[in-house]
Each structure stands twice: as structure tokens, then as C-alpha cells.
Amino acid sequence: MRVKGDKTPALDAEQMRLHFASFDLTRPIDLRDRALIAIMAYSLARVSAAVAMRAEDFIDLGRTQMIRLHEKGGVQRDIPAHPRLVECLDAWLAVAALRPSGWLFPAFDARGTVPSSRPMTRGDALRMVKRRLLRAGIPPVFSNHSFRATGITEFLANGGSLEVAQQLANHADSRTTKL
């Protein structure tokens, strides 16, 4: 585990591998959860923007795929989708049978078998993240925001510029991104 400053803890690369490997890819709810976590980690999306996505917000332009985020302050951003994110979204959409205007991440019933017509909330996403971390054998000290922090940390550690990270994260001030 890496902690960025005194703020949100970020997962390290091995924890992310363990986490993604812990999903049962035969279960629709696991495919949904993996896709939601991938949105937060690979697009640096805030959880509120991720759970507010509609199926039509995953845009296939042929050789390029984009995601449309509706962020705080009414900001709408179209950003290129990382290939790993595309893989996770494609797997979820292949089993989800969502209407284009339907929620990309619907809540499921208590047994985790039937998607509902309501979207996941931030609280639903947090409970899911904590449950998934425990299942992967990772301490549940992380939160929804940890996946965003992990994405920013990995982007910068792999040579990405602070300015681009700030833009991708939709931070108004680069000091927030530096944390």
C-alpha cells in the first residue's frame, strides 16, 4: 500500500492485480463490479460520475472507445478509454442487456442475481469495494477514491506529466493532483 501524502491511500500494482484476479467472470454482478472499479482506476473518474453513467456513455468510435463522464459542477468530459477498461466494459455489456439510456451500473437485488432499474449509489459502490477487497485478501482500508488515487499515482509513476494527470482527474489545482 502506498499513501499519497496524508490523503487517500492508493493500492500498489500487486494489490490491483490481486483485486482484478478475484472476480468470478461467470457472474454478472462480478462483471459489473469489475467494470465499475476499472472506470475509477483507468479513467480517474470520481465515483459519483461513474455511478451516474448510462450505457450510452461508453462510446465506440471504431478503433477508439471513449467514455463520457458527467462530473461535479455540470462538467461533461469525453475521455479515451484505456484498453483494459474497454475489456472490462465489453465483458459487462455482453451480459447486461442494458438499454442505451439505462444505467451502466444498476443496483442488484440482495442475492446479487437480478439487476434493478435503479443505479448504484456512492454508498452501494463503497460497500461493494469493501466486500471485494476482503474477498481479494486486501485490507479494507481503501475506498472508492483509492482507485482514482491509484490511477493518478500509477500514471505519474510511469512518466505521465502532472499537467495531463490534473486534466484527466479534472482537478482545478495541480496541488490537489500532487497529493
PDB file of all heavy atoms in Angstrom, residues 4 7-8 20 26 34 36 40-41 43 52 65 71 88 95 108 111 118 120 128 133 136 140 147 161 167 173:
ATOM      1  N   LYS A   4      -0.609   8.506  -0.489  1.00  0.00           N
ATOM      2  CA  LYS A   4      -0.248   9.757  -1.145  1.00  0.00           C
ATOM      3  C   LYS A   4      -0.382  10.878  -0.125  1.00  0.00           C
ATOM      4  O   LYS A   4      -1.476  11.256   0.241  1.00  0.00           O
ATOM      5  CB  LYS A   4      -1.180  10.017  -2.321  1.00  0.00           C
ATOM      6  CG  LYS A   4      -1.062   9.001  -3.408  1.00  0.00           C
ATOM      7  CD  LYS A   4      -2.122   9.153  -4.471  1.00  0.00           C
ATOM      8  CE  LYS A   4      -2.641  10.543  -4.562  1.00  0.00           C
ATOM      9  NZ  LYS A   4      -3.631  10.805  -5.528  1.00  0.00           N
ATOM     10  N   LYS A   7      -3.365  11.807   2.535  1.00  0.00           N
ATOM     11  CA  LYS A   7      -4.709  11.727   1.981  1.00  0.00           C
ATOM     12  C   LYS A   7      -5.119  10.296   1.670  1.00  0.00           C
ATOM     13  O   LYS A   7      -4.809   9.375   2.387  1.00  0.00           O
ATOM     14  CB  LYS A   7      -4.797  12.608   0.719  1.00  0.00           C
ATOM     15  CG  LYS A   7      -4.556  14.068   0.978  1.00  0.00           C
ATOM     16  CD  LYS A   7      -5.677  14.694   1.766  1.00  0.00           C
ATOM     17  CE  LYS A   7      -5.437  16.169   1.967  1.00  0.00           C
ATOM     18  NZ  LYS A   7      -6.440  16.794   2.758  1.00  0.00           N
ATOM     19  N   THR A   8      -5.783  10.111   0.562  1.00  0.00           N
ATOM     20  CA  THR A   8      -6.355   8.824   0.174  1.00  0.00           C
ATOM     21  C   THR A   8      -5.275   7.777  -0.072  1.00  0.00           C
ATOM     22  O   THR A   8      -4.360   8.013  -0.858  1.00  0.00           O
ATOM     23  CB  THR A   8      -7.181   9.008  -1.112  1.00  0.00           C
ATOM     24  OG1 THR A   8      -8.138  10.043  -0.897  1.00  0.00           O
ATOM     25  CG2 THR A   8      -7.884   7.728  -1.497  1.00  0.00           C
ATOM     26  N   PHE A  20      -8.193  -7.510  -9.278  1.00  0.00           N
ATOM     27  CA  PHE A  20      -8.834  -7.854 -10.550  1.00  0.00           C
ATOM     28  C   PHE A  20      -8.920  -9.367 -10.744  1.00  0.00           C
ATOM     29  O   PHE A  20      -9.870  -9.861 -11.348  1.00  0.00           O
ATOM     30  CB  PHE A  20      -8.140  -7.177 -11.730  1.00  0.00           C
ATOM     31  CG  PHE A  20      -8.605  -5.763 -11.960  1.00  0.00           C
ATOM     32  CD1 PHE A  20      -7.770  -4.691 -11.710  1.00  0.00           C
ATOM     33  CD2 PHE A  20      -9.881  -5.501 -12.420  1.00  0.00           C
ATOM     34  CE1 PHE A  20      -8.206  -3.390 -11.906  1.00  0.00           C
ATOM     35  CE2 PHE A  20     -10.337  -4.207 -12.615  1.00  0.00           C
ATOM     36  CZ  PHE A  20      -9.490  -3.139 -12.361  1.00  0.00           C
ATOM     37  N   THR A  26     -17.835 -15.415 -14.440  1.00  0.00           N
ATOM     38  CA  THR A  26     -19.052 -16.089 -14.885  1.00  0.00           C
ATOM     39  C   THR A  26     -20.292 -15.458 -14.249  1.00  0.00           C
ATOM     40  O   THR A  26     -21.408 -15.825 -14.615  1.00  0.00           O
ATOM     41  CB  THR A  26     -19.022 -17.595 -14.536  1.00  0.00           C
ATOM     42  OG1 THR A  26     -19.041 -17.745 -13.113  1.00  0.00           O
ATOM     43  CG2 THR A  26     -17.796 -18.262 -15.142  1.00  0.00           C
ATOM     44  N   ARG A  34     -16.352  -5.281 -11.511  1.00  0.00           N
ATOM     45  CA  ARG A  34     -15.027  -5.130 -12.120  1.00  0.00           C
ATOM     46  C   ARG A  34     -15.028  -3.932 -13.066  1.00  0.00           C
ATOM     47  O   ARG A  34     -14.073  -3.145 -13.093  1.00  0.00           O
ATOM     48  CB  ARG A  34     -14.649  -6.417 -12.860  1.00  0.00           C
ATOM     49  CG  ARG A  34     -13.255  -6.389 -13.468  1.00  0.00           C
ATOM     50  CD  ARG A  34     -12.945  -7.684 -14.160  1.00  0.00           C
ATOM     51  NE  ARG A  34     -13.645  -7.780 -15.425  1.00  0.00           N
ATOM     52  CZ  ARG A  34     -13.131  -8.281 -16.535  1.00  0.00           C
ATOM     53  NH1 ARG A  34     -11.907  -8.779 -16.521  1.00  0.00           N
ATOM     54  NH2 ARG A  34     -13.830  -8.326 -17.633  1.00  0.00           N
ATOM     55  N   LEU A  36     -16.965  -1.250 -12.924  1.00  0.00           N
ATOM     56  CA  LEU A  36     -17.047  -0.010 -12.151  1.00  0.00           C
ATOM     57  C   LEU A  36     -15.687   0.349 -11.562  1.00  0.00           C
ATOM     58  O   LEU A  36     -15.248   1.497 -11.628  1.00  0.00           O
ATOM     59  CB  LEU A  36     -18.098  -0.135 -11.039  1.00  0.00           C
ATOM     60  CG  LEU A  36     -18.219   1.065 -10.106  1.00  0.00           C
ATOM     61  CD1 LEU A  36     -18.511   2.356 -10.864  1.00  0.00           C
ATOM     62  CD2 LEU A  36     -19.287   0.807  -9.052  1.00  0.00           C
ATOM     63  N   MET A  40     -13.118   3.734 -12.370  1.00  0.00           N
ATOM     64  CA  MET A  40     -12.474   4.624 -11.394  1.00  0.00           C
ATOM     65  C   MET A  40     -10.950   4.595 -11.522  1.00  0.00           C
ATOM     66  O   MET A  40     -10.298   5.630 -11.427  1.00  0.00           O
ATOM     67  CB  MET A  40     -12.920   4.265  -9.983  1.00  0.00           C
ATOM     68  CG  MET A  40     -14.406   4.538  -9.743  1.00  0.00           C
ATOM     69  SD  MET A  40     -14.953   4.264  -8.049  1.00  0.00           S
ATOM     70  CE  MET A  40     -14.880   2.469  -7.914  1.00  0.00           C
ATOM     71  N   ALA A  41     -10.379   3.417 -11.751  1.00  0.00           N
ATOM     72  CA  ALA A  41      -8.923   3.280 -11.797  1.00  0.00           C
ATOM     73  C   ALA A  41      -8.318   3.743 -13.119  1.00  0.00           C
ATOM     74  O   ALA A  41      -7.287   4.405 -13.134  1.00  0.00           O
ATOM     75  CB  ALA A  41      -8.525   1.830 -11.533  1.00  0.00           C
ATOM     76  N   SER A  43      -9.869   5.583 -15.696  1.00  0.00           N
ATOM     77  CA  SER A  43     -10.270   6.879 -16.245  1.00  0.00           C
ATOM     78  C   SER A  43     -10.106   7.996 -15.224  1.00  0.00           C
ATOM     79  O   SER A  43     -10.329   9.155 -15.541  1.00  0.00           O
ATOM     80  CB  SER A  43     -11.727   6.838 -16.721  1.00  0.00           C
ATOM     81  OG  SER A  43     -12.593   6.857 -15.605  1.00  0.00           O
ATOM     82  N   ALA A  52     -23.146   7.455 -12.151  1.00  0.00           N
ATOM     83  CA  ALA A  52     -24.152   8.218 -12.899  1.00  0.00           C
ATOM     84  C   ALA A  52     -24.116   7.928 -14.398  1.00  0.00           C
ATOM     85  O   ALA A  52     -24.938   8.450 -15.151  1.00  0.00           O
ATOM     86  CB  ALA A  52     -23.956   9.719 -12.662  1.00  0.00           C
ATOM     87  N   GLN A  65     -12.385   3.926 -28.329  1.00  0.00           N
ATOM     88  CA  GLN A  65     -13.555   3.961 -27.475  1.00  0.00           C
ATOM     89  C   GLN A  65     -13.383   5.114 -26.482  1.00  0.00           C
ATOM     90  O   GLN A  65     -12.264   5.398 -26.036  1.00  0.00           O
ATOM     91  CB  GLN A  65     -13.734   2.642 -26.705  1.00  0.00           C
ATOM     92  CG  GLN A  65     -14.129   1.467 -27.584  1.00  0.00           C
ATOM     93  CD  GLN A  65     -12.964   0.903 -28.360  1.00  0.00           C
ATOM     94  OE1 GLN A  65     -11.827   0.957 -27.922  1.00  0.00           O
ATOM     95  NE2 GLN A  65     -13.235   0.366 -29.541  1.00  0.00           N
ATOM     96  N   GLU A  71     -19.479  15.121 -14.549  1.00  0.00           N
ATOM     97  CA  GLU A  71     -18.802  15.381 -13.281  1.00  0.00           C
ATOM     98  C   GLU A  71     -19.468  16.503 -12.504  1.00  0.00           C
ATOM     99  O   GLU A  71     -20.401  17.141 -12.986  1.00  0.00           O
ATOM    100  CB  GLU A  71     -17.335  15.720 -13.564  1.00  0.00           C
ATOM    101  CG  GLU A  71     -16.632  14.633 -14.346  1.00  0.00           C
ATOM    102  CD  GLU A  71     -15.409  14.111 -13.657  1.00  0.00           C
ATOM    103  OE1 GLU A  71     -15.505  13.733 -12.489  1.00  0.00           O
ATOM    104  OE2 GLU A  71     -14.382  14.087 -14.317  1.00  0.00           O
ATOM    105  N   CYS A  88     -13.021  -4.624 -19.750  1.00  0.00           N
ATOM    106  CA  CYS A  88     -13.944  -4.814 -18.624  1.00  0.00           C
ATOM    107  C   CYS A  88     -15.362  -4.375 -18.980  1.00  0.00           C
ATOM    108  O   CYS A  88     -16.342  -5.060 -18.648  1.00  0.00           O
ATOM    109  CB  CYS A  88     -13.446  -4.048 -17.396  1.00  0.00           C
ATOM    110  SG  CYS A  88     -11.901  -4.678 -16.704  1.00  0.00           S
ATOM    111  N   VAL A  95     -23.195  -9.243 -21.167  1.00  0.00           N
ATOM    112  CA  VAL A  95     -24.179  -9.999 -20.374  1.00  0.00           C
ATOM    113  C   VAL A  95     -25.277  -9.121 -19.788  1.00  0.00           C
ATOM    114  O   VAL A  95     -26.289  -9.628 -19.310  1.00  0.00           O
ATOM    115  CB  VAL A  95     -23.508 -10.796 -19.225  1.00  0.00           C
ATOM    116  CG1 VAL A  95     -22.487 -11.769 -19.772  1.00  0.00           C
ATOM    117  CG2 VAL A  95     -22.914  -9.884 -18.184  1.00  0.00           C
ATOM    118  N   PHE A 108     -28.137  -4.343  -7.885  1.00  0.00           N
ATOM    119  CA  PHE A 108     -28.636  -5.713  -7.975  1.00  0.00           C
ATOM    120  C   PHE A 108     -29.491  -6.001  -6.751  1.00  0.00           C
ATOM    121  O   PHE A 108     -29.421  -5.293  -5.746  1.00  0.00           O
ATOM    122  CB  PHE A 108     -27.470  -6.712  -8.020  1.00  0.00           C
ATOM    123  CG  PHE A 108     -26.962  -7.004  -9.405  1.00  0.00           C
ATOM    124  CD1 PHE A 108     -26.286  -6.048 -10.144  1.00  0.00           C
ATOM    125  CD2 PHE A 108     -27.145  -8.260  -9.973  1.00  0.00           C
ATOM    126  CE1 PHE A 108     -25.804  -6.319 -11.408  1.00  0.00           C
ATOM    127  CE2 PHE A 108     -26.670  -8.548 -11.247  1.00  0.00           C
ATOM    128  CZ  PHE A 108     -25.998  -7.572 -11.961  1.00  0.00           C
ATOM    129  N   ARG A 111     -29.544 -10.787  -3.350  1.00  0.00           N
ATOM    130  CA  ARG A 111     -28.796 -12.021  -3.642  1.00  0.00           C
ATOM    131  C   ARG A 111     -27.735 -11.807  -4.713  1.00  0.00           C
ATOM    132  O   ARG A 111     -26.945 -12.695  -4.998  1.00  0.00           O
ATOM    133  CB  ARG A 111     -29.741 -13.140  -4.053  1.00  0.00           C
ATOM    134  CG  ARG A 111     -30.645 -13.596  -2.913  1.00  0.00           C
ATOM    135  CD  ARG A 111     -31.595 -14.643  -3.381  1.00  0.00           C
ATOM    136  NE  ARG A 111     -32.365 -14.068  -4.493  1.00  0.00           N
ATOM    137  CZ  ARG A 111     -33.162 -14.738  -5.284  1.00  0.00           C
ATOM    138  NH1 ARG A 111     -33.314 -16.033  -5.132  1.00  0.00           N
ATOM    139  NH2 ARG A 111     -33.823 -14.140  -6.247  1.00  0.00           N
ATOM    140  N   ARG A 118     -32.760   0.804 -10.762  1.00  0.00           N
ATOM    141  CA  ARG A 118     -32.117   1.965 -10.143  1.00  0.00           C
ATOM    142  C   ARG A 118     -30.602   1.830 -10.246  1.00  0.00           C
ATOM    143  O   ARG A 118     -30.065   0.726 -10.278  1.00  0.00           O
ATOM    144  CB  ARG A 118     -32.564   2.141  -8.697  1.00  0.00           C
ATOM    145  CG  ARG A 118     -31.982   1.167  -7.718  1.00  0.00           C
ATOM    146  CD  ARG A 118     -32.273   1.559  -6.258  1.00  0.00           C
ATOM    147  NE  ARG A 118     -31.640   0.643  -5.347  1.00  0.00           N
ATOM    148  CZ  ARG A 118     -30.383   0.740  -4.935  1.00  0.00           C
ATOM    149  NH1 ARG A 118     -29.642   1.739  -5.347  1.00  0.00           N
ATOM    150  NH2 ARG A 118     -29.873  -0.150  -4.103  1.00  0.00           N
ATOM    151  N   MET A 120     -26.607   2.146  -9.031  1.00  0.00           N
ATOM    152  CA  MET A 120     -25.859   2.045  -7.781  1.00  0.00           C
ATOM    153  C   MET A 120     -25.677   3.463  -7.238  1.00  0.00           C
ATOM    154  O   MET A 120     -25.566   4.414  -8.011  1.00  0.00           O
ATOM    155  CB  MET A 120     -24.470   1.454  -8.018  1.00  0.00           C
ATOM    156  CG  MET A 120     -24.461  -0.004  -8.377  1.00  0.00           C
ATOM    157  SD  MET A 120     -22.763  -0.609  -8.602  1.00  0.00           S
ATOM    158  CE  MET A 120     -22.197  -0.720  -6.913  1.00  0.00           C
ATOM    159  N   MET A 128     -19.616  -2.300  -1.914  1.00  0.00           N
ATOM    160  CA  MET A 128     -19.102  -3.281  -2.864  1.00  0.00           C
ATOM    161  C   MET A 128     -17.575  -3.319  -2.822  1.00  0.00           C
ATOM    162  O   MET A 128     -16.964  -4.380  -2.771  1.00  0.00           O
ATOM    163  CB  MET A 128     -19.594  -2.947  -4.278  1.00  0.00           C
ATOM    164  CG  MET A 128     -19.038  -3.829  -5.377  1.00  0.00           C
ATOM    165  SD  MET A 128     -17.442  -3.310  -6.086  1.00  0.00           S
ATOM    166  CE  MET A 128     -17.876  -1.821  -6.946  1.00  0.00           C
ATOM    167  N   LEU A 133     -12.582  -6.047  -1.676  1.00  0.00           N
ATOM    168  CA  LEU A 133     -11.226  -6.013  -1.122  1.00  0.00           C
ATOM    169  C   LEU A 133     -11.007  -7.182  -0.173  1.00  0.00           C
ATOM    170  O   LEU A 133      -9.987  -7.873  -0.250  1.00  0.00           O
ATOM    171  CB  LEU A 133     -10.976  -4.688  -0.398  1.00  0.00           C
ATOM    172  CG  LEU A 133     -10.829  -3.454  -1.287  1.00  0.00           C
ATOM    173  CD1 LEU A 133     -10.877  -2.196  -0.445  1.00  0.00           C
ATOM    174  CD2 LEU A 133      -9.546  -3.507  -2.106  1.00  0.00           C
ATOM    175  N   ALA A 136     -10.541 -10.385  -1.956  1.00  0.00           N
ATOM    176  CA  ALA A 136      -9.239 -10.484  -2.613  1.00  0.00           C
ATOM    177  C   ALA A 136      -8.088 -10.606  -1.604  1.00  0.00           C
ATOM    178  O   ALA A 136      -6.937 -10.731  -2.005  1.00  0.00           O
ATOM    179  CB  ALA A 136      -9.017  -9.271  -3.510  1.00  0.00           C
ATOM    180  N   PRO A 140      -9.372  -3.751   4.005  1.00  0.00           N
ATOM    181  CA  PRO A 140     -10.420  -2.830   3.536  1.00  0.00           C
ATOM    182  C   PRO A 140     -10.200  -1.386   3.994  1.00  0.00           C
ATOM    183  O   PRO A 140     -11.144  -0.674   4.302  1.00  0.00           O
ATOM    184  CB  PRO A 140     -11.694  -3.434   4.129  1.00  0.00           C
ATOM    185  CG  PRO A 140     -11.237  -4.087   5.385  1.00  0.00           C
ATOM    186  CD  PRO A 140      -9.852  -4.606   5.089  1.00  0.00           C
ATOM    187  N   PHE A 147      -9.179   4.051  -5.835  1.00  0.00           N
ATOM    188  CA  PHE A 147      -8.931   3.611  -7.208  1.00  0.00           C
ATOM    189  C   PHE A 147      -8.561   4.796  -8.089  1.00  0.00           C
ATOM    190  O   PHE A 147      -7.704   4.683  -8.973  1.00  0.00           O
ATOM    191  CB  PHE A 147     -10.127   2.831  -7.756  1.00  0.00           C
ATOM    192  CG  PHE A 147     -10.328   1.552  -7.013  1.00  0.00           C
ATOM    193  CD1 PHE A 147     -11.300   1.437  -6.047  1.00  0.00           C
ATOM    194  CD2 PHE A 147      -9.493   0.465  -7.244  1.00  0.00           C
ATOM    195  CE1 PHE A 147     -11.456   0.271  -5.317  1.00  0.00           C
ATOM    196  CE2 PHE A 147      -9.643  -0.712  -6.524  1.00  0.00           C
ATOM    197  CZ  PHE A 147     -10.626  -0.807  -5.563  1.00  0.00           C
ATOM    198  N   SER A 161       2.791  13.242 -17.175  1.00  0.00           N
ATOM    199  CA  SER A 161       3.055  14.580 -16.643  1.00  0.00           C
ATOM    200  C   SER A 161       1.978  14.990 -15.647  1.00  0.00           C
ATOM    201  O   SER A 161       0.829  14.543 -15.724  1.00  0.00           O
ATOM    202  CB  SER A 161       3.120  15.607 -17.776  1.00  0.00           C
ATOM    203  OG  SER A 161       1.818  15.873 -18.281  1.00  0.00           O
ATOM    204  N   GLN A 167      -5.463  17.263 -15.715  1.00  0.00           N
ATOM    205  CA  GLN A 167      -6.553  17.354 -16.685  1.00  0.00           C
ATOM    206  C   GLN A 167      -7.416  16.099 -16.648  1.00  0.00           C
ATOM    207  O   GLN A 167      -8.644  16.185 -16.626  1.00  0.00           O
ATOM    208  CB  GLN A 167      -5.982  17.568 -18.085  1.00  0.00           C
ATOM    209  CG  GLN A 167      -7.035  17.702 -19.156  1.00  0.00           C
ATOM    210  CD  GLN A 167      -6.407  17.839 -20.534  1.00  0.00           C
ATOM    211  OE1 GLN A 167      -5.229  17.529 -20.748  1.00  0.00           O
ATOM    212  NE2 GLN A 167      -7.197  18.293 -21.493  1.00  0.00           N
ATOM    213  N   ASP A 173      -6.787  22.527  -9.408  1.00  0.00           N
ATOM    214  CA  ASP A 173      -5.484  22.958  -8.929  1.00  0.00           C
ATOM    215  C   ASP A 173      -4.516  21.783  -8.941  1.00  0.00           C
ATOM    216  O   ASP A 173      -4.833  20.697  -8.459  1.00  0.00           O
ATOM    217  CB  ASP A 173      -5.655  23.488  -7.495  1.00  0.00           C
ATOM    218  CG  ASP A 173      -4.427  24.199  -6.957  1.00  0.00           C
ATOM    219  OD1 ASP A 173      -3.297  23.778  -7.281  1.00  0.00           O
ATOM    220  OD2 ASP A 173      -4.613  25.169  -6.192  1.00  0.00           O
TER     221      ASP A 173
END
